C-alpha cells in the first residue's frame, strides 16, 4: 500500500487545443484532427491512454472553454487589454483507488502532456466536487458561465444529473470562493498600492479591486496614506535639492466660459507626458472648504473655483512658493511638507484682485507683489468670434504699475483698493486651446528638468 500513497485518486487537466502541447498529437498524423472533434472525443482518447498504463478510470468529465478572456499587454496601446483566451480543454478524472492510479508524472506521460498541466485536487472533502463545479465556472460569478450540457461525460454518472443535484450548493459557494480569492490577492494589492501602482480612483472604479478594498478597507487606506506621505516627502526633498520648482498657473474668465475644462485638459496632458517617462503623477482636486484635507502627495494640485478666503494669506504664500516646501494646515491633521510639481488655480476674477482678497485674511501685511511673483503663468479665457481663446501671460519683474480694483457697487470694497506692483505679465500671446496647452507644458518642462517632458511637448518622445 505504501508505494501507492502518493498516487492521486483524482486529477484535473487543463491544456490548450494546440498539437504542440500534446505529445501524441505531434506524433500521430490523426492527432491534430482529434483535437478538433470536441471534448468528449479528446477525453475518451485520454482515458484510453490512461487505461493502457494500468489505471482504472471510474469518472471522467471534460469541456472545451472557448469563451474565456485574459488580460495581456498591448504594445500599440501601451496598456493592459482584454482578449479571448485560446480554446482549451478542462477535464476531471477520478480513479477507482490509489492502487489503480499512478504518480503524477506517469499520469502526465500517459495523458501525453507535461506534468505542470495535470493538477492534484486541493485539500478537503469537497476538493473533487470543486473541480466538477469549475468545469462550468458555477462558483465563479466573474467568469463566463458555461452550460452543463456542454460538459461531456466519458465515465461515471451523467454530468447533467450531477449539476442538477449540486447546482444550488455550488451557487451558494460563490461567496466562499470570492472571499478566498480576495484573501489571496490582498497582499499583492497592498504592495502595489505602496508602490504607487494602484490609485484610489482605480480601486473605486474597478470591481475586483473594490471587492478586496471592501474587505480590507482599513489596511488599504493605511497603505494609500503611507504611500502619499512618502511621495510628499520625496517630492519635498527633490524641491530642496533644486531638481524642480513648482509651476503655478492661474486661469481666470467669466463663469461658465470653460476654465475647468481647459484646466483639466491641460493637467491630463501634463500627467500623460510625465507617465510616458515612467513617472506616476496624479492630480488632487481640492475641496472648497479645508482644501488640503485629503491631499496625499499628488504631483498636481487643482484649486478649482476656490475662494481667496479658503486659506489664510500666509498659507497661500507658503503653498505657492516655487522653491520651498512648507507645512500646510488641514482640518484634521496638518500636512508635513507640501511640494507639488504644478498648482493650477481657476477663478472668475483676475489674479491681482484674487490675492487682494486673500491678503485681507490672516493679518498678513505682505505686498501684493509677494503673491503675484509666485505665479509662473496667467491664462485669461474669453470668447472671440464665438470660439474660446486663451491669452497666456508669463509673469516676471516689470516696470512699476498701479493696479486699481474694479468697482463692484460697494464703496467700502473700493476704498483704498490701489496698489503699486512690480510683478506682472512680461509676455502675452493669444492661443487656441491646443497651442495654449503646449505653451503651458513648455513652462512645466522648464520647471521640472528632471523629467524629460520637453521631449513629449516637442512631439519627439
Amino acid at each position: 500500500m505504501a508505494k501507492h500513497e502518493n498516487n492521486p485518486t483524482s486529477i484535473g487537466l487543463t491544456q490548450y487545443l494546440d498539437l504542440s502541447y500534446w505529445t501524441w498529437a505531434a506524433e500521430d498524423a490523426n492527432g491534430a484532427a482529434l483535437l478538433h472533434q470536441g471534448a468528449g472525443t479528446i477525453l475518451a482518447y485520454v482515458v484510453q491512454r490512461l487505461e493502457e498504463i494500468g489505471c482504472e478510470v471510474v469518472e471522467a468529465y471534460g469541456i472545451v472553454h472557448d469563451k474565456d478572456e485574459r488580460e495581456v499587454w498591448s504594445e500599440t496601446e501601451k496598456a493592459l487589454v482584454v482578449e479571448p483566451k485560446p480554446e482549451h480543454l478542462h477535464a476531471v478524472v477520478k480513479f477507482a483507488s490509489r492502487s489503480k492510479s499512478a504518480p503524477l508524472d506517469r499520469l502526465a506521460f500517459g495523458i501525453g502532456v507535461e506534468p505542470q498541466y495535470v493538477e492534484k485536487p486541493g485539500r478537503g472533502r469537497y476538493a473533487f466536487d470543486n473541480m466538477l463545479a469549475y468545469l462550468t465556472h458555477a462558483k465563479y460569478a466573474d467568469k463566463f458561465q458555461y452550460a452543463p450540457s456542454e460538459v461531456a461525460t466519458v465515465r461515471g454518472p451523467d454530468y447533467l444529473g450531477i449539476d442538477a443535484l449540486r447546482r444550488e450548493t455550488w451557487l451558494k459557494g460563490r461567496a466562499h470562493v470570492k472571499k478566498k480569492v480576495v484573501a489571496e490577492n490582498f497582499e499583492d494589492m497592498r504592495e502595489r498600492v505602496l508602490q504607487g501602482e494602484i490609485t484610489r480612483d482605480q480601486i473605486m472604479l474597478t470591481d475586483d479591486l473594490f471587492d478586496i478594498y471592501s474587505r480590507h478597507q482599513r489596511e488599504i487606506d493605511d497603505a494609500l496614506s503611507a504611500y502619499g506621505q512618502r511621495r510628499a516627502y520625496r517630492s519635498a526633498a527633490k524641491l530642496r535639492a533644486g531638481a524642480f520648482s513648482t509651476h503655478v498657473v492661474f486661469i481666470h474668465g467669466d463663469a461658465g466660459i470653460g476654465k475647468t475644462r481647459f484646466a483639466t485638459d491641460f493637467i491630463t496632458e501634463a500627467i500623460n507626458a510625465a507617465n510616458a517617462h515612467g513617472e506616476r503623477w496624479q492630480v488632487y482636486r481640492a475641496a472648497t472648504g479645508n482644501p488640503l484635507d485629503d491631499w496625499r502627495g499628488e504631483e498636481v494640485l487643482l484649486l478649482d473655483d476656490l475662494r481667496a478666503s479658503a486659506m489664510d494669506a500666509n498659507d497661500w504664500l507658503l503653498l505657492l512658493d516655487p522653491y520651498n516646501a512648507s507645512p500646510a494646515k488641514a482640518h484634521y491633521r496638518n500636512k508635513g511638507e507640501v511640494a507639488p510639481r504644478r498648482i493650477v488655480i481657476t477663478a472668475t476674477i483676475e489674479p491681482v484682485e484674487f490675492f487682494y482678497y486673500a491678503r485681507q485674511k490672516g493679518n498678513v501685511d505682505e505686498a501684493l507683489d509677494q503673491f503675484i511673483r509666485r505665479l509662473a503663468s496667467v491664462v485669461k479665457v474669453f470668447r472671440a468670434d464665438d470660439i474660446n481663446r486663451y491669452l497666456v501671460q508669463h509673469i516676471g519683474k516689470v516696470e512699476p504699475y498701479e493696479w486699481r480694483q474694479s468697482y463692484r457697487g460697494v464703496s467700502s470694497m473700493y476704498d483704498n483698493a490701489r496698489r503699486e506692483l512690480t510683478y506682472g505679465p512680461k509676455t502675452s500671446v493669444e492661443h487656441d486651446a491646443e497651442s495654449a496647452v503646449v505653451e503651458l507644458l513648455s513652462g512645466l518642462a522648464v520647471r521640472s528638468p528632471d523629467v524629460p517632458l520637453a521631449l513629449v511637448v516637442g512631439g519627439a518622445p
Side-chain angles (χ1 to χ4, degrees):
M1 180 66 182
K3 66 179 181 179
H4 302 307
E5 64 184 9
N6 291 324
N7 293 357
T9 56
S10 60
I11 56 171
L13 169 66
T14 303
Q15 188 56 284
Y16 290 128
L17 299 182
D18 184 317
L19 60 86
S20 63
Y21 289 97
W22 303 82
T23 57
W24 47 263
E27 297 166 357
D28 187 342
N30 297 320
L34 184 63
L35 290 177
H36 297 286
Q37 293 180 21
T41 303
I42 301 170
L43 184 56
Y45 183 60
V46 166
V47 169
Q48 176 188 323
R49 290 177 59 89
L50 288 171
E51 291 176 339
E52 287 174 355
I53 64 169
C55 297
E56 183 180 340
V57 177
V58 293
E59 294 185 48
Y61 309 95
I63 183 174
V64 171
H65 282 189
D66 56 0
K67 298 180 180 66
D68 291 357
E69 295 179 332
R70 64 181 179 184
E71 282 190 337
V72 296
W73 178 257
S74 169
E75 282 296 334
T76 56
E77 299 185 32
K78 301 298 181 184
L80 287 172
V81 297
V82 176
E83 71 170 20
K85 186 181 289 188
E87 290 186 353
H88 53 283
L89 174 74
H90 276 289
V92 177
V93 176
K94 187 174 185 179
F95 302 101
S97 63
R98 293 190 187 279
S99 63
K100 297 297 183 179
S101 178
L104 203 64
D105 57 348
R106 182 161 173 75
L107 292 174
F109 171 78
I111 294 170
V113 297
E114 294 294 325
Q116 63 265 30
Y117 301 115
V118 181
E119 178 187 6
K120 286 184 177 181
R123 296 180 180 274
R125 58 186 293 194
Y126 298 110
F128 183 70
D129 188 70
N130 288 336
M131 288 196 298
L132 290 175
Y134 191 81
L135 294 176
T136 59
H137 292 155
K139 291 187 178 183
Y140 294 81
D142 59 330
K143 296 180 181 290
F144 183 83
Q145 299 298 296
Y146 292 92
S149 58
E150 296 182 69
V151 178
T153 302
V154 175
R155 290 280 196 281
D158 189 79
Y159 187 85
L160 281 173
I162 295 173
D163 179 84
L165 291 172
R166 301 295 298 157
R167 170 64 56 165
E168 185 176 349
T169 301
W170 287 347
L171 293 179
K172 289 179 181 178
R174 286 183 174 183
H176 175 74
V177 169
K178 196 167 193 178
K179 183 177 179 180
K180 183 179 178 181
V181 171
V182 166
E184 292 172 348
N185 293 336
F186 162 64
E187 283 299 337
D188 176 67
M189 175 179 170
R190 180 176 176 275
E191 184 61 29
R192 291 176 66 192
V193 167
L194 288 171
Q195 296 302 319
E197 297 174 10
I198 297 177
T199 67
R200 183 176 291 277
D201 284 352
Q202 290 173 313
I203 292 171
M204 294 303 170
L205 296 173
T206 307
D207 291 344
D208 291 344
L209 296 179
F210 184 77
D211 283 340
I212 301 173
Y213 177 76
S214 65
R215 291 168 171 80
H216 298 276
Q217 183 172 348
R218 181 179 60 79
E219 295 97 324
I220 299 299
D221 280 342
D222 287 348
L224 287 165
S225 178
Y227 173 71
Q229 291 183 51
R230 188 175 190 224
R231 177 169 55 181
Y233 277 95
R234 278 183 164 183
S235 183
K238 287 183 178 181
L239 182 65
R240 286 194 295 271
F244 76 93
S245 59
T246 302
H247 188 241
V248 184
V249 177
F250 192 103
I251 303 171
H252 67 101
D254 294 339
I257 196 70
K259 300 182 299 296
T260 300
R261 176 178 293 181
F262 175 73
T264 300
D265 290 345
F266 154 51
I267 287 170
T268 299
E269 288 297 324
I271 290 175
N272 289 342
N275 291 352
H277 291 282
E279 300 291 325
R280 295 194 180 104
W281 287 13
Q282 297 172 23
V283 60
Y284 171 71
R285 294 171 174 82
T288 54
N290 304 308
L292 295 179
D293 268 7
D294 297 318
W295 182 76
R296 295 290 184 270
E298 288 86 353
E299 290 76 11
V300 182
L301 179 58
L302 174 59
L303 307 176
D304 189 27
D305 278 332
L306 199 67
R307 291 184 178 275
S309 59
M311 292 190 292
D312 288 347
N314 192 55
D315 294 330
W316 276 112
L317 290 170
L318 292 174
L319 176 64
L320 301 181
D321 190 332
Y323 305 106
N324 296 290
S326 304
K329 290 181 183 178
H331 184 64
Y332 297 105
R333 181 180 179 182
N334 290 346
K335 307 300 176 182
E337 290 184 296
V338 180
R341 294 275 181 164
R342 163 167 277 173
I343 299 174
V344 180
I345 305 168
T346 71
T348 55
I349 56 179
E350 51 91 19
V352 179
E353 185 175 1
F354 182 91
F355 289 113
Y356 171 77
Y357 291 130
R359 183 177 173 276
Q360 309 308 309
K361 186 177 180 183
N363 297 318
V364 174
D365 189 23
E366 287 283 359
L368 271 175
D369 265 343
Q370 293 302 312
F371 295 89
I372 304 305
R373 73 182 184 87
R374 284 164 161 74
L375 305 180
S377 301
V378 173
V379 181
K380 180 180 180 180
V381 185
F382 63 98
R383 298 285 286 178
D385 298 326
D386 291 328
I387 60 171
N388 272 17
R389 301 295 295 173
Y390 304 85
L391 183 66
V392 179
Q393 301 174 314
H394 297 304
I395 304 302
K397 186 86 169 178
V398 296
E399 290 294 322
Y401 67 98
E402 184 182 66
W403 169 81
R404 300 179 67 177
Q405 182 191 26
S406 300
Y407 179 64
R408 297 184 182 276
V410 182
S411 59
S412 60
M413 294 175 62
Y414 185 69
D415 288 346
N416 301 316
R418 301 183 183 187
R419 293 293 184 274
E420 183 176 89
L421 297 169
T422 58
Y423 282 86
K426 292 194 72 174
T427 62
S428 297
V429 180
E430 189 177 314
H431 293 276
D432 60 16
E434 184 177 351
S435 61
V437 167
V438 171
E439 178 80 8
L440 294 173
L441 285 178
S442 297
L444 176 61
V446 171
R447 295 294 186 112
S448 288
D450 58 324
V451 180
L453 299 173
L455 295 177
V456 176
V457 173

